């Protein structure tokens, strides 16, 4: 179909190359997603990564899980790959001699005055109390056991081993990839490496004028090789339709020898007629802005 996104055509249109798979901390062959909605597991609290909480699988998208910490509201859902080191089967925490924690923050129950002083005494299991549950130290453990008892726990075999880090940052300026939009983390979008600095990579979302761009480490689990979404049957966003260039084309470019980051972004579905934009060429030959 004309409006279906094709990396093959897009790479041609933008004279760009995909980042090779060896750049990424992702399995060469994506794992299967053997989770089911409603299953419970243990997850590191994204807002407090040292604490491990009970979470429920709210949805499946490709090989990612939409997770919600039990006791947290629906505004703090987060997404993890089935081979993420941030998730583990129920019981792992106890096995390791760690304590399960209630989720942190406004959505969590820590702010509930009824909970004051209770959490420190919470045993290894934590499940949020139902509304109106009156916590007291003696009924709490029983409640936890009963609630987990009725729940389906994700089987150990569903958790896949996290792939190893590539030995070094192999990303280079201008390479294309698929990346999680951190502001809308259910979305994976076409993106371009805008800069590389040490172990960090600047991820630029094609056609979004920089509004969603971010720096991440090269071994981030939020970046994927071109083709990943199609391979894992995750939906891939279209590039944005903004030209990603200054609105007014400067008469005299400030520094013609240094291509701006923005000029790397690939116009996709530009308005017709096109504004007089500098011709994008020689993407492959360009040097990174900074390699130090
Ligand atoms: N409604 C949001 C969605 C933006 C998504 C951008 N990603 C795909 C880079 C907005 O328009 O701000």
């Amino acid at each position: 179909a004309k409006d279906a996104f094709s990396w093959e055509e897009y790479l041609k249109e933008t004279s760009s190359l995909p980042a090779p798979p060896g750049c990424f901390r992702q399995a060469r062959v994506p794992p299967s997603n053997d989770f089911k909605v409603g299953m419970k597991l243990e997850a590191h609290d994204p807002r407090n990564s040292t604490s491990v909480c009970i979470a429920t699988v709210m949805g499946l998208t490709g090989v990612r899980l939409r997770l919600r910490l039990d006791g947290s509201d629906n505004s703090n859902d987060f997404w993890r790959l089935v081979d993420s080191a941030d998730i583990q089967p129920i019981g792992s925490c106890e096995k390791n001699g760690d304590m399960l924690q209630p989720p942190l923050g406004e959505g969590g129950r820590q702010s509930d005055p009824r909970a004051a002083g209770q959490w420190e005494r919470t045993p290894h299991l934590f499940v949020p109390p139902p509304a109106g549950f009156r916590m007291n130290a003696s009924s709490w453990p029983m409640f936890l056991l009963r609630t987990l008892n009725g729940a389906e726990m994700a089987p150990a075999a569903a958790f896949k081993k996290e792939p190893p880090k590539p030995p070094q940052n192999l990303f280079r300026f201008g390479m294309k990839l698929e990346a999680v939009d951190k502001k809308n983390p259910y979305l994976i979008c076409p993106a371009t490496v805008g800069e590389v600095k040490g172990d960090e990579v600047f991820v630029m979302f094609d056609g979004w004028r920089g509004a969603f761009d971010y720096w991440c480490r090269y071994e981030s689990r939020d970046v994927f090789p071109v083709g990943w979404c199609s391979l894992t049957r995750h939906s891939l966003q279209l590039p944005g339709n903004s030209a990603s260039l200054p609105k007014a084309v400067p008469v005299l470019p400030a520094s013609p020898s240094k291509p701006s980051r923005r000029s790397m972004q690939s116009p996709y579905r530009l308005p017709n007629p096109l504004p007089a934009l500098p011709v994008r060429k020689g993407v492959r030959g360009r040097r990174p802005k900074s390699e130090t």
Side-chain angles (χ1 to χ4, degrees):
K2 194 126 195 240
D3 52 349
F5 180 70
S6 152
W7 266 118
E8 199 187 329
E9 284 169 34
Y10 187 62
L11 291 172
K12 260 186 227 157
E13 276 171 33
T14 58
S15 335
S16 49
L17 290 174
C23 294
F24 299 87
R25 186 175 202 173
Q26 302 294 351
R28 292 300 173 98
V29 178
S32 56
N33 192 340
D34 304 327
F35 288 84
K36 290 195 185 80
V37 170
M39 284 179 168
K40 298 216 184 268
L41 47 83
E42 294 178 2
H44 285 266
D45 184 341
R47 295 192 285 183
N48 178 23
S49 63
T50 58
S51 105
V52 179
C53 308
I54 300 284
T56 302
V57 176
M58 304 307 291
L60 313 174
T61 156
V63 296
R64 297 204 299 159
L65 307 171
R66 176 184 183 145
L67 299 174
R68 185 173 305 165
L69 298 183
D70 286 16
S72 196
D73 57 84
N74 64 1
S75 60
N76 293 301
D77 287 357
F78 58 105
W79 282 257
R80 289 293 177 271
L81 289 159
V82 302
D83 59 1
S84 165
D86 291 343
I87 58 171
Q88 57 199 32
I90 299 274
S92 310
C93 205
E94 186 170 10
K95 233 186 257 171
N96 302 335
D98 294 333
M99 298 270 276
L100 282 170
Q101 307 286 333
L104 188 76
E106 322 89 72
R109 301 283 178 142
Q110 260 175 340
S111 52
D112 188 332
R114 291 173 303 170
Q118 296 293 326
W119 305 114
E120 296 76 7
R121 294 195 289 272
T122 300
H124 295 300
L125 298 179
F126 171 81
V127 166
F133 179 83
R134 288 188 58 88
M135 277 183 268
N136 76 61
S138 60
S139 60
W140 184 234
M142 221 31 202
F143 168 77
L144 294 173
L145 289 174
R146 274 215 312 271
T147 311
L148 266 185
N149 212 16
E152 189 177 3
M153 302 189 198
F159 298 83
K160 305 292 154 67
K161 203 174 143 57
E162 184 164 73
K165 284 185 193 184
Q168 52 181 302
N169 189 351
L170 299 170
F171 287 102
R172 296 294 178 265
F173 178 80
M175 288 174 169
K176 295 286 185 193
L177 63 151
E178 299 178 1
V180 171
D181 172 355
K182 291 206 201 235
K183 291 185 182 163
N184 306 279
Y186 44 93
L187 299 178
I188 299 184
C189 318
T192 307
V193 175
E195 199 173 331
V196 176
K197 206 167 192 177
D199 285 346
E200 303 269 327
V201 180
F202 191 63
V203 175
M204 300 177 67
F205 289 90
D206 286 26
W208 287 95
R209 294 182 179 274
F212 299 91
D213 300 353
Y214 58 80
W215 283 96
C216 67
R217 293 186 56 87
Y218 75 88
E219 75 272 28
S220 165
R221 302 305 317 280
D222 285 337
V223 293
F224 307 93
V226 160
W228 175 269
C229 281
S230 145
L231 214 55
T232 61
R233 286 187 251 140
H234 192 291
S235 68
L236 177 67
Q237 298 304 113
L238 291 175
N241 50 22
S242 102
S244 307
L245 282 162
K247 272 176 190 154
V249 176
V251 179
L252 290 169
S255 172
S257 55
K258 279 191 192 168
S260 77
R261 277 185 193 157
R262 289 184 153 203
S263 65
M264 263 312 300
Q265 285 198 282
S266 317
Y268 191 69
R269 302 217 171 145
L270 290 172
N272 232 341
L274 291 174
L277 301 177
V279 179
R280 300 182 53 268
K281 264 192 183 159
V283 164
R284 269 168 263 199
R286 280 187 186 160
R287 301 290 305 156
K289 230 176 109 182
S290 158
E291 270 182 321
T292 48

